[in-house]
Amino acid sequence: MITLALSKGRIFDDTLPLLHAAGIEVLEDPEKSRKLIIGTSRPDLRVVLVRASDVPTYVQQGGADLGVAGLDVLLEHDSHGLYRPLDLGIARCRLSVATRADFDYASAVRQGSRIRVATKYTQLARQHFAAKGVHVDLIKLYGSMELAPLTGLADAIVDLVSTGSTLKANHLLEVERIMDISARLVVNQAALKLQREPIRKLIDAFEAAVAAPAA
Ligand code: PRT
Ligand code: MG
């Protein structure tokens, strides 16, 4: 049995067409069922539903053989024991710095001021600002980052942006793009050795689905 870890929402929704292109149907809709283990049209493949940020842990520890996780999650997490073979090109977004319109980010950076930055991505934010030589006080949050500059908790946030409408609705400006993000297929290294043939075939099927024009 091969176990694929997915998270509900955009990762699941965007992985379905790739599975479909590979001739695999998932037998239940996670939005309608409370099941955490879902079968597929392939008797030797099942899907487990986990939190997006838990996907790397499941795959690293062998709770799943493969998983789909955003590059943000993978870079923020230590990726020891993970084989990261494929950019699936789905769940695309970018990691950016955003501030209130009345905060002059460029001049704060130029003047070497200390900037208070709220984020869920403390590792990525620390690396980014250290590389730029910007002094920051990082404030770890678990959600609703957009609120931080509005309440005076922080001067800036580091968060994912896709359409930009969340920033806009909260009167925030994207002032710097840190990196482009998309979801990756990750594989447990031991599983790849033990079940080489079927897992290799599944990776190849994903690869072909990614390369094919969207149906
Ligand atoms: O929700 P939960 O706490 O369970 O976990 P999660 O938020 O990590 O999961 P989920 O499903 O929301 O995101 C899974 C993955 O999708 C992320 O790890 C990203 O790699 C990817 N992804 C792509 C995004 C977005 N686009 C995205 N727009 N993840 C989050 N967002 C959020 C963003 O944080 C912000 O709040 O959407 C908002 C901005 O969207 P726009 O369109 O208004 O700009
Ligand atoms: Mg979310």
mmCIF file of all heavy atoms in Angstrom, residues 7-11 51-53 70-73 91-93 120-121 146 159-167 181-182, ligand 1:
data_model
loop_
_atom_site.group_PDB
_atom_site.id
_atom_site.type_symbol
_atom_site.label_atom_id
_atom_site.label_comp_id
_atom_site.label_asym_id
_atom_site.label_seq_id
_atom_site.Cartn_x
_atom_site.Cartn_y
_atom_site.Cartn_z
ATOM 1 N N SER A 7 -3.246 17.947 2.196
ATOM 2 C CA SER A 7 -4.036 18.753 3.117
ATOM 3 C C SER A 7 -5.310 19.189 2.412
ATOM 4 O O SER A 7 -5.332 19.364 1.191
ATOM 5 C CB SER A 7 -3.228 19.962 3.591
ATOM 6 O OG SER A 7 -2.746 20.699 2.484
ATOM 7 N N LYS A 8 -6.361 19.342 3.185
ATOM 8 C CA LYS A 8 -7.652 19.782 2.658
ATOM 9 C C LYS A 8 -7.512 21.178 2.093
ATOM 10 O O LYS A 8 -6.661 21.946 2.528
ATOM 11 C CB LYS A 8 -8.671 19.844 3.798
ATOM 12 C CG LYS A 8 -9.382 18.550 4.078
ATOM 13 C CD LYS A 8 -10.780 18.831 4.574
ATOM 14 C CE LYS A 8 -11.043 18.620 6.001
ATOM 15 N NZ LYS A 8 -12.415 18.680 6.430
ATOM 16 N N GLY A 9 -8.386 21.515 1.161
ATOM 17 C CA GLY A 9 -8.335 22.876 0.624
ATOM 18 C C GLY A 9 -7.548 22.914 -0.664
ATOM 19 O O GLY A 9 -7.598 21.979 -1.460
ATOM 20 N N ARG A 10 -6.769 23.994 -0.833
ATOM 21 C CA ARG A 10 -6.165 24.203 -2.161
ATOM 22 C C ARG A 10 -5.186 23.111 -2.575
ATOM 23 O O ARG A 10 -5.094 22.788 -3.761
ATOM 24 C CB ARG A 10 -5.557 25.592 -2.293
ATOM 25 C CG ARG A 10 -4.461 25.904 -1.352
ATOM 26 C CD ARG A 10 -4.122 27.393 -1.407
ATOM 27 N NE ARG A 10 -4.508 28.030 -0.160
ATOM 28 C CZ ARG A 10 -5.037 29.232 -0.070
ATOM 29 N NH1 ARG A 10 -5.258 29.939 -1.135
ATOM 30 N NH2 ARG A 10 -5.338 29.710 1.111
ATOM 31 N N ILE A 11 -4.450 22.525 -1.623
ATOM 32 C CA ILE A 11 -3.501 21.470 -2.010
ATOM 33 C C ILE A 11 -4.273 20.255 -2.540
ATOM 34 O O ILE A 11 -3.967 19.729 -3.606
ATOM 35 C CB ILE A 11 -2.596 21.063 -0.815
ATOM 36 C CG1 ILE A 11 -1.702 22.236 -0.379
ATOM 37 C CG2 ILE A 11 -1.795 19.809 -1.127
ATOM 38 C CD1 ILE A 11 -0.476 22.483 -1.215
ATOM 39 N N ARG A 51 -2.948 18.310 8.341
ATOM 40 C CA ARG A 51 -2.748 19.756 8.252
ATOM 41 C C ARG A 51 -1.597 20.039 7.289
ATOM 42 O O ARG A 51 -0.620 19.290 7.249
ATOM 43 C CB ARG A 51 -2.357 20.325 9.626
ATOM 44 C CG ARG A 51 -3.508 20.555 10.581
ATOM 45 C CD ARG A 51 -4.460 21.622 10.112
ATOM 46 N NE ARG A 51 -3.930 22.970 10.255
ATOM 47 C CZ ARG A 51 -4.128 23.747 11.314
ATOM 48 N NH1 ARG A 51 -4.844 23.301 12.342
ATOM 49 N NH2 ARG A 51 -3.634 24.958 11.353
ATOM 50 N N ALA A 52 -1.703 21.146 6.549
ATOM 51 C CA ALA A 52 -0.683 21.474 5.542
ATOM 52 C C ALA A 52 0.722 21.446 6.150
ATOM 53 O O ALA A 52 1.659 20.904 5.561
ATOM 54 C CB ALA A 52 -0.978 22.845 4.933
ATOM 55 N N SER A 53 0.851 22.003 7.348
ATOM 56 C CA SER A 53 2.183 22.079 7.957
ATOM 57 C C SER A 53 2.636 20.756 8.556
ATOM 58 O O SER A 53 3.785 20.621 8.969
ATOM 59 C CB SER A 53 2.216 23.193 8.997
ATOM 60 O OG SER A 53 1.065 23.125 9.794
ATOM 61 N N GLY A 70 3.475 22.867 0.239
ATOM 62 C CA GLY A 70 3.980 24.120 -0.319
ATOM 63 C C GLY A 70 5.458 24.283 -0.016
ATOM 64 O O GLY A 70 5.953 23.826 1.022
ATOM 65 N N LEU A 71 6.165 24.960 -0.929
ATOM 66 C CA LEU A 71 7.594 25.213 -0.708
ATOM 67 C C LEU A 71 7.792 26.018 0.585
ATOM 68 O O LEU A 71 8.787 25.836 1.282
ATOM 69 C CB LEU A 71 8.176 25.972 -1.912
ATOM 70 C CG LEU A 71 9.673 26.253 -1.858
ATOM 71 C CD1 LEU A 71 10.490 24.955 -1.819
ATOM 72 C CD2 LEU A 71 10.112 27.108 -3.053
ATOM 73 N N ASP A 72 6.848 26.878 0.910
ATOM 74 C CA ASP A 72 6.896 27.655 2.158
ATOM 75 C C ASP A 72 6.983 26.723 3.364
ATOM 76 O O ASP A 72 7.824 26.884 4.253
ATOM 77 C CB ASP A 72 5.666 28.574 2.273
ATOM 78 C CG ASP A 72 4.350 27.836 2.037
ATOM 79 O OD1 ASP A 72 4.272 27.053 1.074
ATOM 80 O OD2 ASP A 72 3.411 28.025 2.829
ATOM 81 N N VAL A 73 6.112 25.718 3.373
ATOM 82 C CA VAL A 73 6.066 24.753 4.482
ATOM 83 C C VAL A 73 7.368 23.945 4.527
ATOM 84 O O VAL A 73 7.951 23.727 5.585
ATOM 85 C CB VAL A 73 4.838 23.823 4.308
ATOM 86 C CG1 VAL A 73 4.908 22.632 5.246
ATOM 87 C CG2 VAL A 73 3.550 24.607 4.528
ATOM 88 N N ALA A 91 -0.970 25.423 -6.502
ATOM 89 C CA ALA A 91 -1.070 26.240 -5.282
ATOM 90 C C ALA A 91 -0.009 27.349 -5.300
ATOM 91 O O ALA A 91 0.665 27.592 -4.316
ATOM 92 C CB ALA A 91 -0.943 25.357 -4.029
ATOM 93 N N ARG A 92 0.093 27.976 -6.445
ATOM 94 C CA ARG A 92 1.110 29.020 -6.625
ATOM 95 C C ARG A 92 0.778 30.277 -5.845
ATOM 96 O O ARG A 92 -0.376 30.706 -5.784
ATOM 97 C CB ARG A 92 1.199 29.417 -8.102
ATOM 98 C CG ARG A 92 1.917 28.417 -8.968
ATOM 99 C CD ARG A 92 1.917 28.942 -10.394
ATOM 100 N NE ARG A 92 2.443 27.973 -11.304
ATOM 101 C CZ ARG A 92 3.748 27.773 -11.490
ATOM 102 N NH1 ARG A 92 4.642 28.490 -10.813
ATOM 103 N NH2 ARG A 92 4.160 26.857 -12.335
ATOM 104 N N CYS A 93 1.783 30.856 -5.283
ATOM 105 C CA CYS A 93 1.647 32.145 -4.612
ATOM 106 C C CYS A 93 3.051 32.695 -4.424
ATOM 107 O O CYS A 93 4.003 32.161 -5.003
ATOM 108 C CB CYS A 93 0.933 31.987 -3.266
ATOM 109 S SG CYS A 93 1.732 30.835 -2.130
ATOM 110 N N LYS A 120 4.184 33.942 10.322
ATOM 111 C CA LYS A 120 4.153 32.523 10.660
ATOM 112 C C LYS A 120 5.478 31.906 10.201
ATOM 113 O O LYS A 120 5.874 30.848 10.639
ATOM 114 C CB LYS A 120 2.966 31.958 9.863
ATOM 115 C CG LYS A 120 2.689 30.523 9.846
ATOM 116 C CD LYS A 120 1.270 30.342 9.250
ATOM 117 C CE LYS A 120 1.159 29.129 8.379
ATOM 118 N NZ LYS A 120 -0.168 28.981 7.743
ATOM 119 N N TYR A 121 6.158 32.601 9.273
ATOM 120 C CA TYR A 121 7.371 32.072 8.630
ATOM 121 C C TYR A 121 8.625 32.696 9.231
ATOM 122 O O TYR A 121 9.355 33.427 8.551
ATOM 123 C CB TYR A 121 7.305 32.329 7.121
ATOM 124 C CG TYR A 121 6.100 31.679 6.500
ATOM 125 C CD1 TYR A 121 4.958 32.412 6.210
ATOM 126 C CD2 TYR A 121 6.084 30.311 6.268
ATOM 127 C CE1 TYR A 121 3.837 31.801 5.677
ATOM 128 C CE2 TYR A 121 4.967 29.690 5.740
ATOM 129 C CZ TYR A 121 3.850 30.439 5.447
ATOM 130 O OH TYR A 121 2.738 29.830 4.931
ATOM 131 N N GLU A 146 -2.378 39.720 8.757
ATOM 132 C CA GLU A 146 -2.760 41.052 8.252
ATOM 133 C C GLU A 146 -3.177 41.994 9.367
ATOM 134 O O GLU A 146 -3.122 43.219 9.218
ATOM 135 C CB GLU A 146 -3.937 40.928 7.257
ATOM 136 C CG GLU A 146 -3.614 40.118 6.008
ATOM 137 C CD GLU A 146 -3.732 38.610 6.186
ATOM 138 O OE1 GLU A 146 -4.214 38.157 7.270
ATOM 139 O OE2 GLU A 146 -3.314 37.881 5.278
ATOM 140 N N ASP A 159 4.056 37.240 4.601
ATOM 141 C CA ASP A 159 2.966 36.287 4.416
ATOM 142 C C ASP A 159 2.852 35.910 2.939
ATOM 143 O O ASP A 159 3.479 36.521 2.080
ATOM 144 C CB ASP A 159 1.641 36.894 4.905
ATOM 145 C CG ASP A 159 0.535 35.840 5.080
ATOM 146 O OD1 ASP A 159 0.827 34.621 5.038
ATOM 147 O OD2 ASP A 159 -0.637 36.244 5.255
ATOM 148 N N LEU A 160 2.026 34.902 2.701
ATOM 149 C CA LEU A 160 1.782 34.469 1.326
ATOM 150 C C LEU A 160 0.745 35.378 0.689
ATOM 151 O O LEU A 160 -0.219 35.796 1.342
ATOM 152 C CB LEU A 160 1.266 33.028 1.315
ATOM 153 C CG LEU A 160 2.196 32.001 1.948
ATOM 154 C CD1 LEU A 160 1.527 30.627 1.978
ATOM 155 C CD2 LEU A 160 3.518 31.937 1.195
ATOM 156 N N VAL A 161 0.943 35.651 -0.576
ATOM 157 C CA VAL A 161 0.012 36.472 -1.344
ATOM 158 C C VAL A 161 -0.282 35.717 -2.628
ATOM 159 O O VAL A 161 0.641 35.191 -3.260
ATOM 160 C CB VAL A 161 0.656 37.834 -1.711
ATOM 161 C CG1 VAL A 161 -0.329 38.701 -2.489
ATOM 162 C CG2 VAL A 161 1.148 38.560 -0.467
ATOM 163 N N SER A 162 -1.567 35.629 -3.004
ATOM 164 C CA SER A 162 -1.806 35.099 -4.349
ATOM 165 C C SER A 162 -2.509 36.141 -5.194
ATOM 166 O O SER A 162 -1.901 36.734 -6.075
ATOM 167 C CB SER A 162 -2.480 33.730 -4.344
ATOM 168 O OG SER A 162 -3.632 33.711 -3.585
ATOM 169 N N THR A 163 -3.788 36.413 -4.934
ATOM 170 C CA THR A 163 -4.447 37.448 -5.741
ATOM 171 C C THR A 163 -4.139 38.856 -5.225
ATOM 172 O O THR A 163 -4.289 39.828 -5.957
ATOM 173 C CB THR A 163 -5.980 37.269 -5.713
ATOM 174 O OG1 THR A 163 -6.410 37.399 -4.351
ATOM 175 C CG2 THR A 163 -6.386 35.912 -6.240
ATOM 176 N N GLY A 164 -3.778 38.963 -3.965
ATOM 177 C CA GLY A 164 -3.538 40.280 -3.364
ATOM 178 C C GLY A 164 -4.791 40.865 -2.730
ATOM 179 O O GLY A 164 -4.744 41.939 -2.125
ATOM 180 N N SER A 165 -5.916 40.150 -2.841
ATOM 181 C CA SER A 165 -7.159 40.763 -2.349
ATOM 182 C C SER A 165 -7.231 40.819 -0.824
ATOM 183 O O SER A 165 -7.849 41.733 -0.276
ATOM 184 C CB SER A 165 -8.386 40.086 -2.954
ATOM 185 O OG SER A 165 -8.337 38.714 -2.732
ATOM 186 N N THR A 166 -6.570 39.890 -0.141
ATOM 187 C CA THR A 166 -6.569 39.950 1.331
ATOM 188 C C THR A 166 -5.804 41.187 1.807
ATOM 189 O O THR A 166 -6.262 41.903 2.706
ATOM 190 C CB THR A 166 -5.943 38.669 1.924
ATOM 191 O OG1 THR A 166 -6.669 37.543 1.443
ATOM 192 C CG2 THR A 166 -5.988 38.673 3.444
ATOM 193 N N LEU A 167 -4.660 41.445 1.188
ATOM 194 C CA LEU A 167 -3.891 42.642 1.552
ATOM 195 C C LEU A 167 -4.725 43.891 1.279
ATOM 196 O O LEU A 167 -4.833 44.783 2.124
ATOM 197 C CB LEU A 167 -2.574 42.713 0.773
ATOM 198 C CG LEU A 167 -1.520 41.661 1.110
ATOM 199 C CD1 LEU A 167 -0.265 41.880 0.275
ATOM 200 C CD2 LEU A 167 -1.169 41.693 2.605
ATOM 201 N N ILE A 181 6.373 30.717 -4.725
ATOM 202 C CA ILE A 181 6.060 29.464 -4.026
ATOM 203 C C ILE A 181 5.146 28.615 -4.897
ATOM 204 O O ILE A 181 4.255 29.143 -5.562
ATOM 205 C CB ILE A 181 5.296 29.787 -2.697
ATOM 206 C CG1 ILE A 181 6.103 30.702 -1.772
ATOM 207 C CG2 ILE A 181 4.809 28.523 -2.009
ATOM 208 C CD1 ILE A 181 7.200 30.053 -1.008
ATOM 209 N N SER A 182 5.384 27.317 -4.869
ATOM 210 C CA SER A 182 4.424 26.377 -5.459
ATOM 211 C C SER A 182 4.535 25.093 -4.654
ATOM 212 O O SER A 182 5.438 24.961 -3.825
ATOM 213 C CB SER A 182 4.742 26.133 -6.937
ATOM 214 O OG SER A 182 6.060 25.657 -7.051
HETATM 215 O O1 PRT B 1 -5.254 26.485 6.912
HETATM 216 P P1 PRT B 1 -4.314 25.669 7.746
HETATM 217 O O2 PRT B 1 -3.848 26.378 8.969
HETATM 218 O O3 PRT B 1 -4.766 24.260 7.978
HETATM 219 O O4 PRT B 1 -2.982 25.452 6.924
HETATM 220 P P2 PRT B 1 -2.465 26.355 5.787
HETATM 221 O O5 PRT B 1 -2.995 27.723 5.866
HETATM 222 O O6 PRT B 1 -0.986 26.203 5.762
HETATM 223 O O7 PRT B 1 -3.080 25.591 4.539
HETATM 224 P P3 PRT B 1 -3.692 26.162 3.218
HETATM 225 O O8 PRT B 1 -4.477 25.037 2.628
HETATM 226 O O9 PRT B 1 -4.362 27.463 3.450
HETATM 227 O O10 PRT B 1 -2.396 26.413 2.319
HETATM 228 C C1 PRT B 1 -1.633 25.338 1.870
HETATM 229 C C2 PRT B 1 -0.568 25.851 0.917
HETATM 230 O O11 PRT B 1 -1.165 26.533 -0.185
HETATM 231 C C3 PRT B 1 0.398 26.872 1.520
HETATM 232 O O12 PRT B 1 1.409 26.237 2.259
HETATM 233 C C4 PRT B 1 0.914 27.559 0.255
HETATM 234 O O13 PRT B 1 2.044 26.862 -0.252
HETATM 235 C C5 PRT B 1 -0.245 27.441 -0.737
HETATM 236 N N1 PRT B 1 -0.952 28.711 -1.000
HETATM 237 C C6 PRT B 1 -1.151 29.230 -2.230
HETATM 238 C C7 PRT B 1 -1.474 29.563 -0.111
HETATM 239 C C8 PRT B 1 -2.023 30.631 -0.838
HETATM 240 N N2 PRT B 1 -1.817 30.383 -2.154
HETATM 241 C C9 PRT B 1 -2.665 31.719 -0.136
HETATM 242 N N3 PRT B 1 -3.124 32.675 -0.776
HETATM 243 N N4 PRT B 1 -1.570 29.532 1.244
HETATM 244 C C10 PRT B 1 -2.192 30.537 1.875
HETATM 245 N N5 PRT B 1 -2.729 31.632 1.249
HETATM 246 C C11 PRT B 1 -3.370 32.649 2.118
HETATM 247 C C12 PRT B 1 -2.380 33.704 2.609
HETATM 248 O O14 PRT B 1 -1.714 33.260 3.769
HETATM 249 C C13 PRT B 1 -3.285 34.905 2.885
HETATM 250 O O15 PRT B 1 -3.932 34.813 4.116
HETATM 251 O O16 PRT B 1 -4.371 33.371 1.438
HETATM 252 C C14 PRT B 1 -4.315 34.748 1.786
HETATM 253 C C15 PRT B 1 -3.897 35.600 0.629
HETATM 254 O O17 PRT B 1 -4.562 35.259 -0.538
HETATM 255 P P4 PRT B 1 -4.939 36.398 -1.601
HETATM 256 O O18 PRT B 1 -5.461 35.642 -2.773
HETATM 257 O O19 PRT B 1 -5.977 37.271 -0.965
HETATM 258 O O20 PRT B 1 -3.689 37.162 -1.930
#
